[in-house]
Amino acid sequence: SNGIKVVGAKTQSLHFDRPDEKMVNFQLDVSEAKGIGKIEVIAQGNGEKSSYEVEIDVVNPNPVTNKAIDVVLQPNSEQIIDFSTFGIKGSNQAQAEFATLPPMNFTQRLEYLIRYPHGCIEQTTSSVFPQLYLADIFDLTAQKKQQMEDNIKAGITRLGKFQTYNGGMGYWIGDNSPSDWGTSYAGHFLIEAEKKGYVLPLTFMSNWLKYQQQAARDWREKSRYNNTLNQAYRLYTLALAGHPDLASMNRLRESNLSNDAKWRLAAAYALAGQKDVAHKLANTANIDFRPYRYDYYTYGSVDRNRAMAMETMVALGDHQAIDIAKDIAKRLSGNNYMSTQSTSYSLLAMAKMVKQNGGKGINLTYAINNKSDNIKTNFAVAQRKLKVNYGENQIKITNNDNNVVFVRVLNQGILPLGEEIAEHRNLNVQVTYRDKNGHKIDVTKLAQGTDFMASVTISNDKNIYVNDIALTEIFPSGWEIVNTRFTDYGNVQSSSANFTDIRDDRVNFYFHLPRGKSKTFNVLLNASYLGKYYLYGVQAEAMYDDDFMTRTKGKWVEVVK
């Protein structure tokens, strides 16, 4: 299929004097292939013919890179945008976002959430939560609506697997102890999904309610952990589910509430029908969200807390919501880092804001490479996938209405292997490969059948405890992961991880790292298949703190006879 080439002769002949078995090798170049391709092998002789099709999955592990082009389309005007595709052929895509509201970069931020590779409860919820509301504010194609619906259903199914024996929800699938914030955050999404007609896993809600109600009654204030926000969010989800715990709400109201907890508890009172109390409590909170390192216990940040406050303001009809919305839109449309939690909450809060306050409709015509289409809608935001040519492209946009339209063209591609950029921010990484005797080896060229071990050591350079580090090792398809127990390697020591995710081609380790400390993780491998393959660089990142990240460059490796 396209992108797969046979290097050298496509046909080889074998001669048999008697029944026997012989082997021939063909070399394939898959550098321009993308996704799952097919190879057909045909054998014929003595008037007989047999064929076999085999699928080959070609993956470039480099992340999708985005280049955005922003223009402002004045009333009844026309603009032409020229852009070139980049990256490997077949990876190129482009989308256009049209809005009569100030640009919010919904498309790129949502793509980031959907593509984020790690799947804890927070990130699983974040990837689907904003998608619940986009159909309410976006003019979407039927295909895009179906895609979002499929994403939401898949997210609901996966979240059901996080539920623990007592009805709470673990941070990772299989955890025995519930995550306070994860239980409330995922529960919040599932309640709202059910209200939109989605079906939840059987018995999920009754067990979740029992856990939340018991946890609300058992809660005690702990100033060290700022746990008033955790309790306020828990009480909010109970009120959203139609089971407000007014006694616990009143008890929390008398405690030393953080500013963020005031906003969330006010929302809980509003849902419980006590709007006067909600307004009084909100009036004691401020909107001066001061920068601080993210809050590990709630995965919070200034961006996330600002979005949560705005969600409350929208529910209370507070005019301050407009000013906060402008700040959030500005943050979303910029290139600044935002965690999955911050991104998700900012998107869903803005979606609720747009749904309540609306915006002017869109009436425009656009032509991409001389193929035109119209958008005429009452929605304030429209999104369209553009069919691009490899190389030069041109989009011509005509605004047929008397209003300003903000246009963002998102040009996407995957960079060729070897062009990834090595980075280092406050985490050090050391990678070594050893044979069964413990000697260091060069993996650039390995004999087929060799057993060896990959050992990665991650060190924390800073005098700060770093939570939720994700270490990703992607291995060439010519190597096979044997195990991570290393019984054949004697007394090899490997650090413990909070969670280990082993897949066909990669291993993800998730762990915390104390100040000035290091951890070492080992994977046993086998050089299994002849050929030349790309060994991607090792990446480690703190999932909620962009100050801690490291990535090494990759290299080509061979498995030889």
Side-chain angles (χ1 to χ4, degrees):
S1 53
N2 290 338
I4 301 176
K5 300 172 185 174
V6 180
V7 178
K10 293 185 178 182
T11 302
Q12 296 189 48
S13 297
L14 296 171
H15 299 277
F16 296 89
D17 299 323
R18 56 185 174 80
D20 199 356
E21 181 180 281
K22 295 182 180 181
M23 184 177 289
V24 292
N25 289 304
F26 291 89
Q27 186 176 350
L28 303 175
D29 180 347
V30 297
S31 58
E32 292 187 4
K34 178 191 175 187
I36 297 175
K38 283 187 177 180
I39 300 160
E40 186 180 15
V41 182
I42 303 165
Q44 54 189 344
N46 198 33
E48 302 290 340
K49 182 177 180 180
S50 179
S51 67
Y52 179 71
E53 276 193 353
V54 59
E55 288 186 341
I56 181 166
D57 192 1
V58 182
V59 178
N60 181 333
N62 280 340
V64 174
T65 300
N66 296 289
K67 293 182 180 179
I69 304 167
D70 292 300
V71 299
V72 178
L73 199 58
Q74 297 299 328
N76 300 304
S77 68
E78 180 180 285
Q79 283 220 34
I80 294 175
I81 302 170
D82 294 304
F83 63 95
S84 301
T85 57
F86 64 94
I88 61 171
K89 191 173 183 178
S91 72
N92 318 105
Q93 295 184 58
Q95 297 185 71
E97 186 177 295
F98 308 97
T100 53
L101 302 164
M104 288 176 276
N105 199 12
F106 265 105
T107 303
Q108 187 173 343
R109 294 291 185 180
L110 188 61
E111 289 283 329
Y112 162 73
L113 291 176
I114 293 171
R115 285 199 174 101
Y116 197 76
H118 309 296
C120 67
I121 191 168
E122 185 278 320
Q123 289 146 6
T124 300
T125 305
S126 291
S127 69
V128 290
F129 209 157
Q131 296 184 65
L132 270 183
Y133 309 104
L134 293 194
D136 296 334
I137 66 166
F138 266 69
D139 182 88
L140 300 169
T141 62
Q143 183 182 5
K144 191 67 175 178
K145 285 180 182 177
Q146 185 61 53
Q147 183 185 345
M148 287 187 174
E149 189 172 317
D150 292 343
N151 290 345
I152 292 167
K153 287 178 179 177
I156 290 170
T157 300
R158 179 172 168 79
L159 285 173
K161 298 175 183 177
F162 284 88
Q163 194 159 41
T164 59
Y165 70 95
N166 59 3
M169 303 182 78
Y171 185 74
W172 294 109
I173 292 174
D175 280 356
N176 291 320
S177 55
S179 159
D180 272 358
W181 190 263
T183 300
S184 295
Y185 185 48
H188 181 186
F189 160 72
L190 290 166
I191 293 166
E192 301 225 20
E194 188 176 41
K195 289 181 177 180
K196 283 187 170 288
Y198 290 94
V199 178
L200 305 189
L202 197 64
T203 74
F204 171 87
M205 189 51 68
S206 59
N207 293 331
W208 178 87
L209 272 171
K210 286 177 187 175
Y211 174 82
Q212 289 288 79
Q213 289 168 333
Q214 188 63 50
R217 290 192 290 268
D218 293 344
W219 177 84
R220 296 295 181 271
E221 184 178 357
K222 295 178 182 176
S223 58
R224 177 185 171 190
Y225 304 115
N226 182 26
N227 71 336
T228 57
L229 177 56
N230 252 322
Q231 175 73 341
Y233 196 22
R234 182 183 293 117
L235 294 170
Y236 170 84
T237 61
L238 286 171
L240 187 67
H243 297 269
D245 183 347
L246 288 169
S248 295
M249 288 162 66
N250 292 335
R251 178 161 62 96
L252 177 62
R253 190 180 168 202
E254 298 303 317
S255 66
N256 185 26
L257 287 171
S258 69
N259 190 62
D260 306 314
K262 288 178 181 178
W263 283 115
R264 191 64 354 188
L265 186 58
Y269 274 112
L271 288 172
Q274 298 201 11
K275 286 285 183 76
D276 290 343
V277 178
H279 281 288
K280 286 178 183 177
L281 187 55
N283 287 337
T284 68
N286 65 61
I287 58 172
D288 180 20
F289 298 97
R290 296 175 184 176
Y292 67 101
R293 280 194 83 242
Y294 85 99
D295 176 17
Y296 164 65
Y297 297 99
T298 71
Y299 315 105
S301 65
V302 172
D303 291 315
R304 198 285 309 275
N305 296 341
R306 185 185 285 118
M308 289 192 81
M310 192 188 84
E311 185 190 24
T312 299
M313 294 174 194
V314 170
L316 296 177
D318 190 331
H319 67 276
Q320 293 181 103
I322 301 294
D323 295 327
I324 299 292
K326 291 176 182 177
D327 289 338
I328 293 175
K330 187 176 180 180
R331 290 284 292 170
L332 284 170
S333 62
N335 295 319
N336 48 285
Y337 165 81
M338 294 176 79
S339 71
T340 50
Q341 173 87 174
S342 300
T343 304
S344 175
Y345 230 103
S346 296
L347 290 177
L348 71 91
M350 289 301 292
K352 288 186 176 182
M353 175 76 180
V354 173
K355 184 182 178 183
Q356 179 167 304
N357 294 285
K360 293 180 180 178
I362 298 169
N363 180 11
L364 58 80
T365 305
Y366 70 93
I368 175 77
N369 300 322
N370 298 317
K371 292 181 181 177
S372 61
D373 201 354
N374 298 311
I375 299 177
K376 189 170 185 179
T377 177
N378 292 325
F379 287 103
V381 187
Q383 184 190 74
R384 292 293 184 270
K385 188 173 182 178
L386 304 176
K387 193 169 184 180
V388 295
N389 298 325
Y390 185 70
E392 298 301 318
N393 292 267
Q394 185 179 87
I395 180 170
K396 179 180 177 182
I397 310 167
T398 305
N399 186 0
N400 301 320
D401 220 334
N402 192 31
N403 58 8
V404 173
V405 176
F406 299 92
V407 180
R408 167 164 283 207
V409 175
L410 195 62
N411 190 13
Q412 300 174 321
I414 298 176
L415 295 177
L417 297 173
E419 290 190 18
E420 66 272 16
I421 299 170
E423 291 189 56
H424 168 70
R425 293 196 297 274
N426 301 318
L427 288 177
N428 268 329
V429 61
Q430 184 178 7
V431 185
T432 56
Y433 297 93
R434 300 181 186 275
D435 61 19
K436 279 198 170 187
N437 298 318
H439 300 136
K440 288 185 180 180
I441 59 171
D442 180 8
V443 295
T444 305
K445 186 175 286 189
L446 292 172
Q448 187 178 26
T450 301
D451 286 324
F452 62 105
M453 185 177 69
S455 182
V456 178
T457 300
I458 301 293
S459 306
N460 178 4
D461 290 353
K462 288 290 188 178
N463 193 30
I464 295 173
Y465 192 100
V466 184
N467 295 285
D468 297 309
I469 294 174
L471 166 63
T472 300
E473 295 180 75
I474 302 175
F475 299 109
S477 49
W479 299 358
E480 281 200 333
I481 298 168
V482 179
N483 66 48
T484 54
R485 291 188 173 84
F486 332 111
T487 51
D488 295 337
Y489 277 73
N491 296 319
V492 172
Q493 295 296 312
S494 190
S495 302
S496 61
N498 299 338
F499 185 73
T500 303
D501 180 12
I502 304 173
R503 306 187 187 184
D504 287 344
D505 66 339
R506 70 193 65 196
V507 179
N508 294 313
F509 296 100
Y510 302 92
F511 54 95
H512 308 312
L513 201 53
R515 60 189 71 178
K517 298 291 184 182
S518 64
K519 286 195 173 187
T520 299
F521 299 95
N522 303 307
V523 180
L524 184 60
L525 301 157
N526 178 268
S528 303
Y529 305 105
L530 297 175
K532 184 179 180 182
Y533 308 94
Y534 194 75
L535 171 60
Y536 192 63
V538 170
Q539 177 167 311
E541 60 177 332
M543 294 189 292
Y544 302 99
D545 191 341
D546 196 43
D547 287 340
F548 294 86
M549 190 269 190
T550 186
R551 179 172 58 230
T552 64
K553 280 188 74 69
K555 61 183 178 182
W556 288 96
V557 297
E558 279 188 278
V559 178
V560 298
K561 284 186 179 181

